[in-house]
Amino acid sequence: QLVDSGGDLVQAGESLRLSCRTSGFTFEDFAIGWFRQAPGKAREALAMIEPRAGTTKYADSVKGRFIITSDNSEDTAYLTMNNVELEDAANYTCAADFPAYLGAVMWQGGNYHVWLGQGTQVSVSS
């Protein structure tokens, strides 16, 4: 199970941290990722972490502003959004699966079923 939270209304330029609390699987065996989807737009893969190794990967659109981390003792992953922009407003969802599967879905257009959270809304004001 994935429970994502932390979405809020923030002003452009501020920071926000989203959380993805997991249960039901061995956290360090999986990869955790974040997607977002804005109204009328396609789902966008943002960042992925492999908690065991600490390996991360980012979409070019958020590289340098968003940071994905994990607290392996809490089976929780985080997405810290820095210098939030108006274009960051979207519904954010965390995802989890074995690294090969999640990586394929996120970065290679793979069509595997992966575990998803319920989503958390981020709104941005100017």
Side-chain angles (χ1 to χ4, degrees):
Q1 182 181 10
L2 307 180
V3 179
D4 37 32
S5 62
D8 205 347
L9 171 64
V10 295
Q11 281 197 319
E14 292 184 338
S15 295
L16 186 67
R17 190 177 79 163
L18 308 181
S19 300
C20 177
R21 181 167 51 85
T22 76
S23 62
F25 58 86
T26 302
F27 187 71
E28 292 189 4
D29 286 346
F30 276 48
I32 311 296
W34 286 94
F35 291 92
R36 71 182 177 189
Q37 187 165 20
K41 294 189 176 181
R43 187 177 71 174
E44 180 184 11
L46 301 175
M48 187 177 92
I49 187 167
E50 295 186 39
R52 187 182 300 278
T55 308
T56 59
K57 183 171 182 174
Y58 295 92
D60 289 342
S61 59
V62 301
K63 193 177 298 182
R65 287 196 304 124
F66 290 12
I67 301 172
I68 188 169
T69 56
S70 68
D71 183 338
N72 295 5
S73 67
E74 296 291 332
D75 293 349
T76 300
Y78 302 96
L79 184 70
T80 300
M81 306 166 57
N82 295 311
N83 192 21
V84 171
E85 301 173 352
L86 292 174
E87 293 74 20
D88 294 324
N91 188 267
Y92 286 70
T93 304
C94 66
D97 214 295
F98 292 112
Y101 291 122
L102 186 60
V105 170
M106 292 192 70
W107 313 115
Q108 299 162 18
N111 195 27
Y112 301 105
H113 171 273
V114 296
W115 299 103
L116 297 172
Q118 81 282 6
T120 186
Q121 185 68 34
V122 174
S123 301
V124 184
S125 64
S126 59

